[in-house]
Coordinates of all heavy atoms in Angstrom, one line a residue:
C1 N -60.7 22.4 -93.7 CA -62.1 22.7 -94.0 C -62.3 22.8 -95.6 O -61.4 23.0 -96.3 CB -62.6 24.0 -93.4 SG -62.7 23.8 -91.5
E2 N -63.5 22.7 -96.0 CA -63.9 22.8 -97.4 C -65.1 23.7 -97.5 O -66.1 23.4 -96.7 CB -64.3 21.5 -98.1 CG -63.1 20.5 -98.2 CD -63.5 19.1 -98.8 OE1 -64.7 19.0 -99.3 OE2 -62.6 18.3 -98.8
I3 N -65.0 24.6 -98.5 CA -66.2 25.6 -98.6 C -66.5 25.6 -100.2 O -65.6 25.9 -101.0 CB -65.8 27.0 -98.3 CG1 -65.5 27.1 -96.8 CG2 -67.0 27.9 -98.7 CD1 -65.1 28.4 -96.3
Y4 N -67.6 25.1 -100.4 CA -68.0 24.9 -101.9 C -68.6 26.3 -102.4 O -68.7 27.2 -101.6 CB -69.2 23.9 -102.0 CG -68.5 22.4 -102.0 CD1 -68.0 21.9 -100.8 CD2 -68.6 21.6 -103.0 CE1 -67.4 20.7 -100.8 CE2 -68.0 20.3 -103.0 CZ -67.4 19.9 -101.9 OH -66.8 18.7 -101.8
P5 N -68.8 26.4 -103.7 CA -69.2 27.6 -104.3 C -70.6 28.2 -103.7 O -71.3 27.3 -103.2 CB -69.4 27.4 -105.8 CG -68.6 26.2 -106.0 CD -68.5 25.4 -104.7
N6 N -70.8 29.4 -103.9 CA -72.1 30.1 -103.4 C -72.4 29.9 -102.0 O -73.7 29.9 -101.6 CB -73.2 29.5 -104.3 CG -72.9 29.7 -105.8 OD1 -72.4 30.8 -106.2 ND2 -73.1 28.8 -106.7
V7 N -71.5 29.8 -101.2 CA -71.7 29.9 -99.6 C -71.9 31.3 -99.3 O -71.0 32.2 -99.6 CB -70.7 29.2 -98.9 CG1 -70.9 29.3 -97.3 CG2 -70.7 27.6 -99.2
I8 N -72.9 31.6 -98.5 CA -73.0 33.1 -98.0 C -72.8 33.1 -96.5 O -73.5 32.5 -95.7 CB -74.5 33.6 -98.4 CG1 -74.7 33.7 -99.9 CG2 -74.8 35.0 -97.9 CD1 -76.0 34.0 -100.4
F9 N -71.9 33.9 -96.2 CA -71.6 34.1 -94.7 C -72.3 35.3 -94.1 O -72.0 35.6 -93.0 CB -70.0 34.2 -94.5 CG -69.3 32.9 -94.8 CD1 -68.6 32.8 -95.8 CD2 -69.4 31.8 -93.9 CE1 -67.9 31.5 -96.1 CE2 -68.7 30.6 -94.1 CZ -68.0 30.5 -95.3
G10 N -73.2 35.9 -94.8 CA -74.0 36.9 -94.2 C -73.2 38.2 -94.1 O -72.1 38.4 -94.5
S11 N -73.9 39.2 -93.5 CA -73.4 40.6 -93.4 C -72.4 40.8 -92.2 O -71.8 41.7 -92.1 CB -74.5 41.5 -93.4 OG -75.5 41.2 -92.3
E12 N -72.4 39.8 -91.3 CA -71.5 39.9 -90.1 C -70.7 38.5 -90.0 O -70.9 37.8 -89.1 CB -72.2 40.1 -88.8 CG -73.1 41.4 -88.7 CD -74.5 41.2 -89.5 OE1 -75.0 40.2 -89.6 OE2 -74.9 42.2 -90.0
P13 N -69.9 38.3 -91.0 CA -69.1 37.0 -90.9 C -68.3 36.9 -89.7 O -68.0 35.6 -89.3 CB -68.4 36.9 -92.3 CG -68.3 38.4 -92.5 CD -69.5 39.0 -92.1
Y14 N -67.9 37.8 -89.1 CA -67.1 37.8 -87.9 C -67.9 37.2 -86.7 O -67.1 36.9 -85.7 CB -66.5 39.2 -87.5 CG -67.5 40.2 -87.5 CD1 -68.4 40.6 -86.5 CD2 -67.8 41.0 -88.8 CE1 -69.4 41.5 -86.7 CE2 -68.7 42.0 -88.9 CZ -69.5 42.2 -87.9 OH -70.5 43.2 -87.9
L15 N -69.0 37.0 -86.8 CA -70.0 36.3 -85.8 C -69.9 34.9 -86.0 O -70.6 34.2 -85.1 CB -71.3 36.9 -85.8 CG -71.5 38.4 -85.3 CD1 -72.9 38.8 -85.4 CD2 -70.9 38.5 -83.8
I16 N -69.3 34.3 -87.0 CA -69.3 33.0 -87.3 C -68.0 32.3 -86.9 O -66.9 32.8 -87.4 CB -69.6 32.7 -88.8 CG1 -71.0 33.3 -89.3 CG2 -69.6 31.2 -89.1 CD1 -71.2 33.5 -90.7
S17 N -68.0 31.2 -86.3 CA -66.9 30.4 -85.8 C -67.1 28.9 -86.4 O -68.0 28.4 -85.9 CB -66.7 30.4 -84.4 OG -65.6 29.7 -84.0
I18 N -66.1 28.5 -87.2 CA -66.2 27.2 -87.7 C -65.0 26.4 -87.3 O -63.9 26.8 -87.4 CB -66.3 27.2 -89.2 CG1 -67.6 28.0 -89.8 CG2 -66.2 25.9 -89.9 CD1 -67.7 28.4 -91.1
G19 N -65.2 25.1 -86.7 CA -64.2 24.3 -86.2 C -63.4 23.7 -87.4 O -63.3 24.1 -88.5
N20 N -62.7 22.6 -87.0 CA -61.9 21.8 -88.0 C -62.6 20.8 -88.7 O -63.5 20.3 -88.2 CB -60.7 21.2 -87.1 CG -59.8 22.1 -86.5 OD1 -59.4 23.2 -87.0 ND2 -59.6 21.8 -85.2
N21 N -62.2 20.4 -89.9 CA -62.7 19.3 -90.8 C -64.2 19.6 -90.9 O -65.1 18.7 -90.8 CB -62.5 18.0 -90.0 CG -60.9 17.7 -89.8 OD1 -60.3 17.7 -90.8 ND2 -60.6 17.3 -88.7
V22 N -64.5 20.8 -91.4 CA -65.9 21.1 -91.7 C -66.2 21.3 -93.2 O -65.2 21.9 -93.8 CB -66.4 22.3 -91.0 CG1 -67.8 22.8 -91.3 CG2 -66.3 22.2 -89.4
R23 N -67.2 20.7 -93.7 CA -67.4 20.8 -95.2 C -68.8 21.5 -95.2 O -69.8 21.1 -94.8 CB -67.6 19.4 -95.9 CG -68.0 19.5 -97.3 CD -68.4 18.3 -97.9 NE -67.2 17.6 -98.3 CZ -67.2 16.3 -98.6 NH1 -68.2 15.6 -98.5 NH2 -66.0 15.8 -99.0
I24 N -68.7 22.7 -95.9 CA -69.9 23.6 -96.2 C -70.2 23.5 -97.7 O -69.4 24.0 -98.5 CB -69.6 24.9 -95.8 CG1 -69.1 25.1 -94.2 CG2 -70.7 25.8 -95.9 CD1 -68.6 26.3 -93.8
T25 N -71.2 22.8 -98.0 CA -71.6 22.6 -99.5 C -72.2 23.7 -100.2 O -72.6 24.7 -99.5 CB -72.3 21.3 -99.6 OG1 -73.6 21.4 -98.9 CG2 -71.5 20.0 -99.0
T26 N -72.5 23.6 -101.4 CA -73.0 24.7 -102.4 C -74.4 25.2 -101.7 O -75.2 24.5 -101.4 CB -73.2 24.1 -103.7 OG1 -72.0 23.6 -104.2 CG2 -73.8 25.0 -104.6
G27 N -74.4 26.6 -101.7 CA -75.7 27.2 -101.4 C -75.9 27.4 -99.9 O -77.0 28.0 -99.6
V28 N -75.1 26.9 -99.1 CA -75.3 27.1 -97.7 C -75.3 28.7 -97.3 O -74.5 29.4 -97.8 CB -74.3 26.4 -96.8 CG1 -74.4 26.6 -95.3 CG2 -74.4 24.8 -97.0
K29 N -76.3 29.0 -96.4 CA -76.4 30.4 -95.9 C -76.3 30.4 -94.5 O -77.0 29.6 -93.8 CB -77.7 31.0 -96.4 CG -77.8 31.1 -97.9 CD -79.2 31.4 -98.4 CE -79.3 31.5 -100.0 NZ -79.1 30.2 -100.6
F30 N -75.5 31.4 -94.0 CA -75.4 31.7 -92.5 C -76.0 33.0 -92.4 O -75.5 34.0 -92.9 CB -73.9 31.7 -92.1 CG -73.2 30.4 -92.1 CD1 -72.6 30.0 -93.4 CD2 -73.0 29.7 -91.0 CE1 -71.9 28.8 -93.5 CE2 -72.4 28.3 -91.1 CZ -71.8 28.0 -92.3
C31 N -77.0 33.1 -91.4 CA -77.7 34.3 -91.1 C -77.3 34.7 -89.7 O -77.7 34.1 -88.8 CB -79.1 34.2 -91.4 SG -80.1 35.6 -91.1
T32 N -76.5 35.9 -89.6 CA -76.2 36.3 -88.3 C -77.0 37.4 -87.7 O -76.8 37.9 -86.6 CB -74.7 36.8 -88.3 OG1 -74.6 37.8 -89.3 CG2 -73.7 35.7 -88.6
H33 N -78.1 37.6 -88.3 CA -79.0 38.8 -87.8 C -80.4 38.4 -88.2 O -80.8 37.6 -88.9 CB -78.7 40.1 -88.4 CG -78.9 40.2 -90.0 ND1 -78.1 39.7 -90.9 CD2 -80.0 40.6 -90.6 CE1 -78.5 39.8 -92.0 NE2 -79.7 40.5 -92.0
D34 N -81.4 39.1 -87.5 CA -82.8 39.0 -87.7 C -83.3 40.0 -88.6 O -83.4 41.2 -88.2 CB -83.5 39.0 -86.3 CG -85.0 38.8 -86.3 OD1 -85.5 38.9 -87.5 OD2 -85.6 38.7 -85.3

């Protein structure tokens, strides 16, 4: 996988599952809560 700068995995990153061969580019945000 590739993770570019400034990616935010939120306050509960343990709720995120990412597969193989995934590219997450600059500034992507994962929000695990409301």
Side-chain angles (χ1 to χ4, degrees):
C1 293
E2 296 181 5
I3 300 174
Y4 282 66
N6 302 315
V7 171
I8 297 173
F9 289 110
S11 52
E12 299 82 28
Y14 44 85
L15 291 175
I16 303 167
S17 178
I18 296 170
N20 299 315
N21 301 308
V22 174
R23 175 187 281 165
I24 304 168
T25 61
T26 300
V28 171
K29 296 171 183 64
F30 292 87
C31 186
T32 55
H33 66 278
D34 181 344

